Amino acid sequence: MHYHISNKKDWAKIQNGIIKLHPYCNECGVFKNVSSDRGKKIGYFVNTLSKLKKILGNKGYRISDVQIRLILKELSEVEGFEDTWWITYSKQKEIFISIIRKYIKVSKEILESVL
Ligand SMILES: [Zn+2]
Protein backbone atom coordinates (compact mmCIF):
# COMPACT_ATOMS: atom_id res chain seq x y z
CA MET A 1 0.00 0.00 0.00
CA HIS A 2 1.30 3.47 -0.84
CA TYR A 3 0.56 6.79 0.77
CA HIS A 4 -2.35 8.24 -1.23
CA ILE A 5 -2.06 11.84 -2.32
CA SER A 6 -4.38 13.98 -4.32
CA ASN A 7 -4.44 17.36 -5.96
CA LYS A 8 -7.04 16.33 -8.49
CA LYS A 9 -10.77 15.94 -8.41
CA ASP A 10 -13.20 14.18 -10.64
CA TRP A 11 -16.91 13.61 -10.75
CA ALA A 12 -17.99 10.64 -8.74
CA LYS A 13 -21.27 9.17 -7.75
CA ILE A 14 -21.53 8.95 -4.01
CA GLN A 15 -24.33 8.39 -1.51
CA ASN A 16 -27.94 8.73 -2.61
CA GLY A 17 -26.93 8.76 -6.25
CA ILE A 18 -25.73 12.35 -6.04
CA ILE A 19 -22.79 13.16 -8.28
CA LYS A 20 -20.16 15.43 -6.75
CA LEU A 21 -16.60 16.55 -7.38
CA HIS A 22 -14.43 14.15 -5.48
CA PRO A 23 -10.70 13.99 -4.71
CA TYR A 24 -8.93 10.91 -5.98
CA CYS A 25 -5.41 9.56 -5.58
CA ASN A 26 -2.90 10.73 -8.20
CA GLU A 27 -1.17 7.40 -8.12
CA CYS A 28 -3.84 4.69 -8.01
CA GLY A 29 -6.94 6.70 -8.91
CA VAL A 30 -8.99 5.51 -5.91
CA PHE A 31 -11.58 8.01 -4.78
CA LYS A 32 -11.26 9.35 -1.30
CA ASN A 33 -14.03 8.59 1.18
CA VAL A 34 -15.29 12.03 2.15
CA SER A 35 -18.47 10.84 3.84
CA SER A 36 -18.98 10.93 7.59
CA ASP A 37 -18.74 7.12 7.58
CA ARG A 38 -14.97 7.15 8.12
CA GLY A 39 -12.88 4.03 8.51
CA LYS A 40 -10.97 3.39 11.74
CA LYS A 41 -7.45 2.26 12.53
CA ILE A 42 -6.79 -1.36 13.48
CA GLY A 43 -6.31 -0.38 17.14
CA TYR A 44 -10.01 0.31 17.39
CA PHE A 45 -10.83 -3.26 16.42
CA VAL A 46 -8.20 -4.67 18.76
CA ASN A 47 -9.91 -2.80 21.61
CA THR A 48 -13.29 -4.03 20.46
CA LEU A 49 -12.04 -7.60 20.65
CA SER A 50 -10.93 -7.19 24.24
CA LYS A 51 -14.30 -5.63 25.10
CA LEU A 52 -15.99 -8.60 23.49
CA LYS A 53 -13.76 -10.99 25.39
CA LYS A 54 -14.86 -9.37 28.64
CA ILE A 55 -18.56 -9.34 27.82
CA LEU A 56 -18.58 -12.98 26.72
CA GLY A 57 -16.40 -13.91 29.69
CA ASN A 58 -19.09 -12.52 32.00
CA LYS A 59 -21.59 -14.77 30.25
CA GLY A 60 -19.33 -17.75 30.86
CA TYR A 61 -17.93 -18.05 27.35
CA ARG A 62 -14.17 -17.84 27.28
CA ILE A 63 -12.36 -16.54 24.21
CA SER A 64 -8.82 -17.85 24.00
CA ASP A 65 -5.75 -15.88 22.98
CA VAL A 66 -5.43 -18.21 20.02
CA GLN A 67 -8.86 -17.19 18.76
CA ILE A 68 -7.95 -13.53 19.17
CA ARG A 69 -4.67 -14.06 17.35
CA LEU A 70 -6.33 -15.84 14.45
CA ILE A 71 -8.93 -13.11 14.07
CA LEU A 72 -6.31 -10.35 14.11
CA LYS A 73 -4.13 -12.26 11.68
CA GLU A 74 -6.96 -12.72 9.23
CA LEU A 75 -7.99 -9.09 9.64
CA SER A 76 -4.47 -7.89 8.84
CA GLU A 77 -4.52 -9.96 5.68
CA VAL A 78 -7.62 -8.26 4.29
CA GLU A 79 -6.31 -5.96 1.63
CA GLY A 80 -7.13 -2.34 2.26
CA PHE A 81 -8.79 -2.95 5.62
CA GLU A 82 -6.81 -0.18 7.24
CA ASP A 83 -6.75 2.03 4.17
CA THR A 84 -8.81 4.87 5.58
CA TRP A 85 -8.39 6.80 2.34
CA TRP A 86 -11.36 4.97 0.85
CA ILE A 87 -12.71 2.41 3.30
CA THR A 88 -15.86 3.17 5.28
CA TYR A 89 -16.52 2.13 8.85
CA SER A 90 -19.61 0.22 7.63
CA LYS A 91 -17.47 -1.86 5.31
CA GLN A 92 -14.91 -2.51 8.06
CA LYS A 93 -17.67 -3.60 10.42
CA GLU A 94 -19.04 -6.01 7.87
CA ILE A 95 -15.59 -7.60 7.34
CA PHE A 96 -14.79 -7.64 11.06
CA ILE A 97 -18.09 -9.31 11.98
CA SER A 98 -17.78 -11.99 9.32
CA ILE A 99 -14.22 -12.86 10.40
CA ILE A 100 -15.10 -12.98 14.10
CA ARG A 101 -18.04 -15.28 13.45
CA LYS A 102 -15.72 -17.80 11.80
CA TYR A 103 -13.86 -18.23 15.10
CA ILE A 104 -16.36 -17.36 17.80
CA LYS A 105 -19.98 -18.41 18.16
CA VAL A 106 -21.51 -15.04 18.84
CA SER A 107 -24.63 -13.29 17.59
CA LYS A 108 -24.51 -10.28 15.29
CA GLU A 109 -26.50 -8.36 17.89
CA ILE A 110 -23.79 -8.73 20.54
CA LEU A 111 -21.12 -7.78 18.03
CA GLU A 112 -22.99 -4.69 16.92
CA SER A 113 -23.46 -3.63 20.53
CA VAL A 114 -19.68 -3.40 21.04
CA LEU A 115 -18.90 -1.75 17.71
ZN1 LIG B 1 -3.36 5.81 -4.10
Side-chain angles (χ1 to χ4, degrees):
M1 195 178 93
H2 57 274
Y3 185 76
H4 304 288
I5 42 158
S6 171
N7 51 27
K8 296 174 187 165
K9 285 184 175 183
D10 201 353
W11 299 98
K13 200 177 197 176
I14 47 163
Q15 293 152 325
N16 315 319
I18 297 164
I19 296 173
K20 275 191 178 169
L21 260 184
H22 233 62
Y24 66 96
C25 177
N26 298 352
E27 209 175 311
C28 64
V30 168
F31 282 105
K32 187 174 186 173
N33 170 24
V34 290
S35 73
S36 55
D37 185 10
R38 303 296 310 271
K40 295 182 188 293
K41 290 284 180 192
I42 197 87
Y44 175 82
F45 297 96
V46 176
N47 289 339
T48 301
L49 270 179
S50 31
K51 252 198 275 180
L52 186 69
K53 188 177 174 173
K54 230 174 158 179
I55 289 171
L56 291 180
N58 290 339
K59 292 179 192 283
Y61 182 90
R62 198 177 160 270
I63 302 180
S64 70
D65 291 342
V66 175
Q67 282 169 302
I68 300 265
R69 224 169 28 238
L70 288 170
I71 291 166
L72 290 177
K73 182 172 178 284
E74 191 161 334
L75 209 56
S76 70
E77 284 165 357
V78 176
E79 201 175 333
F81 185 80
E82 222 192 336
D83 192 350
T84 54
W85 173 269
W86 65 270
I87 204 163
T88 59
Y89 180 49
S90 311
K91 182 75 197 162
Q92 284 178 320
K93 270 209 289 205
E94 195 185 294
I95 296 168
F96 188 58
I97 288 175
S98 73
I99 292 177
I100 286 185
R101 296 188 76 203
K102 279 199 213 170
Y103 298 97
I104 303 171
K105 269 183 95 174
V106 58
S107 72
K108 261 191 172 160
E109 289 68 36
I110 291 183
L111 285 173
E112 269 160 10
S113 74
V114 291
L115 280 158

PDB file of all heavy atoms in Angstrom, residues 2 4 25 28, ligand 1:
ATOM      1  N   HIS A   2       0.543   2.223  -0.816  1.00  0.00           N
ATOM      2  CA  HIS A   2       1.296   3.472  -0.836  1.00  0.00           C
ATOM      3  C   HIS A   2       0.545   4.555  -0.071  1.00  0.00           C
ATOM      4  O   HIS A   2      -0.601   4.367   0.333  1.00  0.00           O
ATOM      5  CB  HIS A   2       1.531   3.916  -2.284  1.00  0.00           C
ATOM      6  CG  HIS A   2       0.254   4.076  -3.050  1.00  0.00           C
ATOM      7  ND1 HIS A   2      -0.358   3.037  -3.695  1.00  0.00           N
ATOM      8  CD2 HIS A   2      -0.522   5.164  -3.242  1.00  0.00           C
ATOM      9  CE1 HIS A   2      -1.466   3.480  -4.269  1.00  0.00           C
ATOM     10  NE2 HIS A   2      -1.605   4.764  -4.002  1.00  0.00           N
ATOM     11  N   HIS A   4      -1.542   7.568  -0.198  1.00  0.00           N
ATOM     12  CA  HIS A   4      -2.345   8.239  -1.226  1.00  0.00           C
ATOM     13  C   HIS A   4      -2.213   9.757  -1.136  1.00  0.00           C
ATOM     14  O   HIS A   4      -2.267  10.336  -0.064  1.00  0.00           O
ATOM     15  CB  HIS A   4      -3.826   7.893  -1.070  1.00  0.00           C
ATOM     16  CG  HIS A   4      -4.127   6.439  -1.101  1.00  0.00           C
ATOM     17  ND1 HIS A   4      -4.057   5.690  -2.237  1.00  0.00           N
ATOM     18  CD2 HIS A   4      -4.507   5.588  -0.116  1.00  0.00           C
ATOM     19  CE1 HIS A   4      -4.389   4.440  -1.958  1.00  0.00           C
ATOM     20  NE2 HIS A   4      -4.652   4.346  -0.682  1.00  0.00           N
ATOM     21  N   CYS A  25      -6.853   9.702  -5.712  1.00  0.00           N
ATOM     22  CA  CYS A  25      -5.405   9.562  -5.582  1.00  0.00           C
ATOM     23  C   CYS A  25      -4.716   9.705  -6.941  1.00  0.00           C
ATOM     24  O   CYS A  25      -5.115   9.070  -7.915  1.00  0.00           O
ATOM     25  CB  CYS A  25      -5.081   8.218  -4.950  1.00  0.00           C
ATOM     26  SG  CYS A  25      -3.313   7.907  -4.829  1.00  0.00           S
ATOM     27  N   CYS A  28      -3.044   5.888  -7.708  1.00  0.00           N
ATOM     28  CA  CYS A  28      -3.842   4.691  -8.014  1.00  0.00           C
ATOM     29  C   CYS A  28      -5.251   5.023  -8.499  1.00  0.00           C
ATOM     30  O   CYS A  28      -5.974   4.143  -8.940  1.00  0.00           O
ATOM     31  CB  CYS A  28      -3.920   3.770  -6.798  1.00  0.00           C
ATOM     32  SG  CYS A  28      -4.774   4.496  -5.401  1.00  0.00           S
TER      33      CYS A  28
HETATM   34 ZN    ZN B   1      -3.364   5.808  -4.099  1.00  0.00          ZN
END
